[in-house]
């Protein structure tokens, strides 16, 4: 494939919010972080999102990783499902690990948990069929949605993790949610310090894959 064509593809992927093609892995572990604004790094300076901070934390421990941030702000689980296979196909050789983080926007919008569960189930099925290791990040419904909604939404994640026998991180915002000192002014998106807490807590769940 010529350099001009590769450059054109890179531009197309960059403007569409998904990673450009990788020509080779160079011996690195390729980690795909796919999710919504919590993955994309909404409201944060460049390089301060959790995929970027996680890559630096892994580098500090001596691991060479190619971290691909495929977060799209505002994405629901439906949006994630619609682009998952396209993103996977865009990575030469495929990722060695996928960190799957969706559902926060589903809960905020009050989407029927049956829909969320179906989307997440299909995404995990796709990754399982492709034999791609997964770290599945759980989410909890916000308190304002009420106990009935939470009772239907929250169990989705541990149930699917068990069904597909994937590594499970129970609550992506553990230690950060509800702490004004670790969130941006909107109260929903972690600031740089909040992301650092997420990375510190999730790191031990990533290391076994390396």
């Amino acid at each position: 494939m010529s350099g001009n064509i590769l450059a054109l593809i890179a531009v197309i992927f960059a403007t569409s919010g998904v990673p450009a093609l990788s020509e080779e892995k160079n011996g690195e572990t390729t980690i795909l972080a796919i999710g919504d604004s919590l993955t994309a790094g909404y409201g944060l300076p460049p390089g301060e999102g959790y995929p970027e901070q996680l890559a630096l934390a892994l580098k500090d421990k001596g691991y060479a990783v190619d971290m691909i941030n495929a977060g799209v702000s505002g994405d629901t689980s439906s949006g994630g499902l619609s682009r998952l296979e396209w993103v996977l196909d865009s990575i030469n050789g495929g990722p060695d690990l996928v960190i799957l983080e969706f559902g926060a926007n589903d809960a905020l919008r009050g989407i029927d948990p049956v829909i969320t569960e179906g989307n997440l189930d299909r995404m995990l099925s796709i990754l399982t069929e492709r034999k791609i290791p997964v770290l599945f990040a759980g989410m909890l419904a916000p308190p304002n949605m009420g106990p009935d909604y939470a009772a239907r939404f929250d169990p989705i994640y541990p149930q699917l993790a068990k069904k597909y026998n994937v590594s499970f991180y129970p609550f992506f915002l553990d230690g950060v949610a509800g702490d004004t000192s670790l969130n941006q002014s909107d109260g929903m998106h972690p600031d740089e310090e909040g992301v650092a807490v997420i990375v510190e807590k999730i790191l031990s769940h990533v290391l076994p894959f390396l």
Side-chain angles (χ1 to χ4, degrees):
M1 186 177 290
S2 72
N4 289 338
I5 294 175
L6 275 176
L8 177 60
I9 293 175
V11 170
I12 293 172
F13 275 69
T15 57
S16 62
V18 297
L21 289 167
S22 300
E23 292 192 65
E24 56 182 321
K25 291 189 176 184
N26 297 320
E28 297 177 326
T29 298
T30 300
I31 300 176
L32 170 66
I34 183 166
D36 49 40
S37 58
L38 298 176
T39 294
Y42 174 86
L44 297 172
E48 291 295 336
Y50 103 80
E52 293 79 16
Q53 287 201 35
L54 178 58
L56 289 175
L58 291 171
K59 181 179 179 181
D60 287 343
K61 289 187 173 294
Y63 295 98
V65 299
D66 177 18
M67 183 71 70
I68 299 173
N69 185 340
V72 173
S73 294
D75 229 358
T76 62
S77 61
S78 296
L81 175 59
S82 70
R83 64 188 176 91
L84 175 61
E85 291 190 280
W86 187 42
V87 173
L88 293 173
D89 291 340
S90 76
I91 302 170
N92 186 29
D96 300 301
L97 169 66
V98 169
I99 304 177
L100 186 67
E101 175 274 310
F102 283 104
N105 288 318
D106 295 53
L108 288 171
R109 298 178 188 182
I111 292 173
D112 188 337
V114 171
I115 295 174
T116 303
E117 181 175 11
N119 292 330
L120 293 171
D121 190 305
R122 181 58 188 145
M123 283 190 269
L124 289 169
S125 176
I126 290 169
L127 293 167
T128 299
E129 289 166 3
R130 292 185 181 222
K131 296 181 171 55
I132 301 173
V134 181
L135 174 54
F136 185 35
M139 186 52 59
L140 299 175
N144 66 295
M145 292 305 299
D148 291 342
Y149 186 88
R152 298 175 60 215
F153 181 89
D154 295 354
I156 290 171
Y157 295 87
Q159 290 172 359
L160 288 177
K162 183 178 181 179
K163 176 179 179 179
Y164 287 97
N165 192 30
V166 295
S167 182
F168 181 49
Y169 185 67
F171 183 36
F172 184 75
L173 294 174
D174 182 32
V176 176
D179 188 335
T180 56
S181 69
L182 296 175
N183 283 277
Q184 300 174 43
S185 58
D186 61 13
M188 297 185 294
H189 293 93
D191 59 18
E192 295 96 313
E193 290 75 21
V195 171
V197 171
I198 292 171
V199 168
E200 180 182 8
K201 287 178 173 289
I202 206 171
L203 186 62
S204 63
H205 293 260
V206 177
L207 290 175
F209 291 98
L210 304 179

Short mmCIF file of all heavy atoms in Angstrom, two decimals, residues 16-40:
data_model
loop_
_atom_site.label_atom_id
_atom_site.label_comp_id
_atom_site.label_asym_id
_atom_site.label_seq_id
_atom_site.Cartn_x
_atom_site.Cartn_y
_atom_site.Cartn_z
N SER A 16 -12.93 10.75 11.81
CA SER A 16 -14.14 10.00 12.14
C SER A 16 -14.14 9.49 13.58
O SER A 16 -15.07 8.83 14.00
CB SER A 16 -14.29 8.80 11.20
OG SER A 16 -13.22 7.91 11.34
N GLY A 17 -13.07 9.79 14.33
CA GLY A 17 -13.05 9.42 15.74
C GLY A 17 -12.60 8.00 16.02
O GLY A 17 -12.76 7.51 17.12
N VAL A 18 -12.02 7.32 15.03
CA VAL A 18 -11.49 5.98 15.26
C VAL A 18 -10.03 5.97 14.84
O VAL A 18 -9.58 6.82 14.07
CB VAL A 18 -12.26 4.91 14.45
CG1 VAL A 18 -13.69 4.86 14.92
CG2 VAL A 18 -12.21 5.16 12.98
N PRO A 19 -9.24 4.99 15.35
CA PRO A 19 -7.81 4.99 15.10
C PRO A 19 -7.46 4.67 13.66
O PRO A 19 -8.16 3.94 12.98
CB PRO A 19 -7.30 3.88 16.03
CG PRO A 19 -8.47 2.98 16.21
CD PRO A 19 -9.67 3.88 16.19
N ALA A 20 -6.36 5.24 13.21
CA ALA A 20 -5.86 4.95 11.87
C ALA A 20 -5.19 3.59 11.85
O ALA A 20 -4.86 3.01 12.88
CB ALA A 20 -4.87 6.03 11.43
N LEU A 21 -4.96 3.07 10.65
CA LEU A 21 -4.32 1.77 10.49
C LEU A 21 -2.90 1.79 11.05
O LEU A 21 -2.16 2.75 10.87
CB LEU A 21 -4.25 1.40 9.01
CG LEU A 21 -5.58 1.04 8.33
CD1 LEU A 21 -5.39 1.01 6.84
CD2 LEU A 21 -6.07 -0.30 8.83
N SER A 22 -2.53 0.72 11.72
CA SER A 22 -1.16 0.55 12.18
C SER A 22 -0.43 -0.31 11.15
O SER A 22 -0.93 -1.38 10.78
CB SER A 22 -1.12 -0.14 13.55
OG SER A 22 -1.81 0.64 14.51
N GLU A 23 0.74 0.11 10.72
CA GLU A 23 1.47 -0.66 9.71
C GLU A 23 2.11 -1.91 10.31
O GLU A 23 2.23 -2.93 9.68
CB GLU A 23 2.51 0.23 9.04
CG GLU A 23 1.89 1.33 8.18
CD GLU A 23 2.93 2.01 7.32
OE1 GLU A 23 3.49 1.36 6.43
OE2 GLU A 23 3.18 3.19 7.54
N GLU A 24 2.58 -1.81 11.57
CA GLU A 24 3.17 -2.96 12.24
C GLU A 24 3.17 -2.71 13.73
O GLU A 24 3.04 -1.57 14.18
CB GLU A 24 4.60 -3.22 11.74
CG GLU A 24 5.53 -2.02 11.87
CD GLU A 24 6.90 -2.32 11.33
OE1 GLU A 24 7.37 -3.45 11.54
OE2 GLU A 24 7.51 -1.45 10.72
N LYS A 25 3.31 -3.79 14.51
CA LYS A 25 3.22 -3.65 15.96
C LYS A 25 4.56 -3.36 16.62
O LYS A 25 4.60 -2.91 17.76
CB LYS A 25 2.61 -4.92 16.55
CG LYS A 25 1.13 -5.09 16.21
CD LYS A 25 0.55 -6.23 17.01
CE LYS A 25 -0.94 -6.36 16.74
NZ LYS A 25 -1.56 -7.41 17.57
N ASN A 26 5.65 -3.66 15.93
CA ASN A 26 6.99 -3.39 16.47
C ASN A 26 7.21 -4.04 17.83
O ASN A 26 7.90 -3.50 18.68
CB ASN A 26 7.22 -1.87 16.58
CG ASN A 26 7.20 -1.18 15.24
OD1 ASN A 26 7.72 -1.71 14.26
ND2 ASN A 26 6.57 -0.02 15.16
N GLY A 27 6.63 -5.21 18.06
CA GLY A 27 6.85 -5.93 19.30
C GLY A 27 6.08 -5.40 20.48
O GLY A 27 6.21 -5.92 21.59
N GLU A 28 5.28 -4.37 20.30
CA GLU A 28 4.51 -3.80 21.39
C GLU A 28 3.19 -4.55 21.57
O GLU A 28 2.68 -5.18 20.66
CB GLU A 28 4.22 -2.32 21.13
CG GLU A 28 5.46 -1.45 21.06
CD GLU A 28 5.10 -0.01 20.72
OE1 GLU A 28 4.14 0.20 19.97
OE2 GLU A 28 5.79 0.89 21.23
N THR A 29 2.65 -4.45 22.77
CA THR A 29 1.30 -4.96 23.03
C THR A 29 0.31 -3.89 22.63
O THR A 29 0.35 -2.76 23.12
CB THR A 29 1.13 -5.30 24.53
OG1 THR A 29 2.06 -6.32 24.90
CG2 THR A 29 -0.28 -5.78 24.81
N THR A 30 -0.59 -4.23 21.72
CA THR A 30 -1.58 -3.27 21.25
C THR A 30 -2.83 -3.36 22.11
O THR A 30 -3.47 -4.41 22.18
CB THR A 30 -1.95 -3.53 19.78
OG1 THR A 30 -0.78 -3.43 18.97
CG2 THR A 30 -2.98 -2.52 19.30
N ILE A 31 -3.14 -2.25 22.78
CA ILE A 31 -4.32 -2.18 23.64
C ILE A 31 -5.31 -1.20 23.03
O ILE A 31 -4.97 -0.05 22.77
CB ILE A 31 -3.95 -1.72 25.06
CG1 ILE A 31 -2.95 -2.70 25.70
CG2 ILE A 31 -5.20 -1.61 25.93
CD1 ILE A 31 -2.46 -2.27 27.07
N LEU A 32 -6.51 -1.67 22.80
CA LEU A 32 -7.58 -0.82 22.29
C LEU A 32 -8.50 -0.46 23.45
O LEU A 32 -9.12 -1.33 24.06
CB LEU A 32 -8.38 -1.55 21.21
CG LEU A 32 -9.68 -0.88 20.75
CD1 LEU A 32 -9.40 0.44 20.06
CD2 LEU A 32 -10.48 -1.81 19.85
N ALA A 33 -8.59 0.82 23.74
CA ALA A 33 -9.53 1.33 24.73
C ALA A 33 -10.70 1.93 23.96
O ALA A 33 -10.54 2.94 23.28
CB ALA A 33 -8.87 2.38 25.62
N ILE A 34 -11.87 1.28 24.05
CA ILE A 34 -13.01 1.75 23.30
C ILE A 34 -14.15 2.05 24.27
O ILE A 34 -14.44 1.27 25.18
CB ILE A 34 -13.44 0.73 22.22
CG1 ILE A 34 -14.59 1.27 21.38
CG2 ILE A 34 -13.77 -0.63 22.81
CD1 ILE A 34 -14.86 0.48 20.10
N GLY A 35 -14.76 3.20 24.09
CA GLY A 35 -15.82 3.60 25.00
C GLY A 35 -16.38 4.96 24.64
O GLY A 35 -16.33 5.39 23.49
N ASP A 36 -16.90 5.63 25.65
CA ASP A 36 -17.55 6.93 25.45
C ASP A 36 -16.62 8.05 25.89
O ASP A 36 -15.39 7.92 25.77
CB ASP A 36 -18.88 6.96 26.21
CG ASP A 36 -18.74 6.48 27.65
OD1 ASP A 36 -17.74 6.82 28.31
OD2 ASP A 36 -19.63 5.75 28.12
N SER A 37 -17.16 9.15 26.41
CA SER A 37 -16.34 10.30 26.79
C SER A 37 -15.37 9.99 27.91
O SER A 37 -14.33 10.64 28.04
CB SER A 37 -17.24 11.48 27.20
OG SER A 37 -18.10 11.11 28.27
N LEU A 38 -15.69 9.01 28.74
CA LEU A 38 -14.79 8.62 29.83
C LEU A 38 -13.51 8.02 29.28
O LEU A 38 -12.45 8.10 29.91
CB LEU A 38 -15.49 7.63 30.77
CG LEU A 38 -16.75 8.15 31.47
CD1 LEU A 38 -17.40 7.04 32.28
CD2 LEU A 38 -16.43 9.35 32.36
N THR A 39 -13.60 7.40 28.12
CA THR A 39 -12.41 6.90 27.43
C THR A 39 -11.78 7.99 26.56
O THR A 39 -10.56 8.14 26.53
CB THR A 39 -12.77 5.68 26.55
OG1 THR A 39 -13.17 4.60 27.40
CG2 THR A 39 -11.60 5.24 25.69
N ALA A 40 -12.62 8.75 25.88
CA ALA A 40 -12.12 9.77 24.96
C ALA A 40 -11.31 10.85 25.66
O ALA A 40 -10.42 11.45 25.07
CB ALA A 40 -13.29 10.40 24.20
#
